[in-house]
């Protein structure tokens, strides 16, 4: 199994295979979701999270997307404090996304 741990203080998420995944607060709990704008597939991990943490603005076209609309990932993961560990099969590469404006 492929396993990676990243810190929320240095990375906003991970690349799992060919998908970017970002950590966001949704409905009072923390989740990992696909970082793809539902409108045109823009990289939401480079987007701007609103003050309430309920929507993120796509950097490609400026459209705000409600975080609850974003698809949760299909891989097991666990968060302890600021550290997140993601698990995938051996044939899936996992790498931290080290730069993001999400906070």
């Amino acid at each position: 199994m492929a396993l990676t741990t990243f810190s929320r203080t240095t990375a906003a998420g991970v690349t799992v295979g060919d998908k970017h995944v970002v950590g966001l607060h949704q409905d009072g709990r923390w989740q990992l979701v696909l970082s793809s704008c539902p409108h045109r597939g823009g990289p939401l991990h480079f987007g701007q999270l609103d003050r309430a943490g309920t929507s993120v603005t796509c950097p490609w076209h400026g459209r705000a997307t409600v975080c609850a609309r974003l698809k949760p990932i299909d891989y097991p993961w666990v968060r302890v404090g600021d550290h997140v560990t993601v698990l995938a099969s051996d044939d899936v590469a996992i790498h931290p996304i080290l730069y993001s404006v999400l906070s």
Side-chain angles (χ1 to χ4, degrees):
M1 296 302 246
L3 181 74
T4 192
T5 299
F6 66 95
S7 170
R8 289 263 305 138
T9 60
T10 59
V14 293
T15 300
V16 181
D18 62 349
K19 295 177 172 71
H20 294 302
V21 176
V22 65
L24 296 173
H25 286 268
Q26 292 185 1
D27 301 324
R29 60 190 179 120
W30 202 84
Q31 293 190 50
L32 288 180
V33 296
L34 294 179
S35 178
S36 179
C37 176
H39 179 231
R40 292 198 177 161
L44 294 180
H45 55 283
F46 290 121
Q48 183 65 44
L49 192 62
D50 72 351
R51 286 182 178 258
T54 58
S55 67
V56 60
T57 300
C58 178
W60 282 4
H61 60 281
R63 181 178 177 177
T65 299
V66 176
C67 294
R69 289 190 61 211
L70 302 175
K71 184 178 190 259
I73 66 166
D74 294 331
Y75 297 99
W77 64 276
V78 64
R79 179 180 71 95
V80 177
D82 283 337
H83 291 84
V84 179
T85 301
V86 181
L87 178 70
S89 60
D90 283 331
D91 59 336
V92 176
I94 304 177
H95 304 285
I97 300 171
L98 297 178
Y99 175 75
S100 176
V101 295
L102 287 178
S103 57

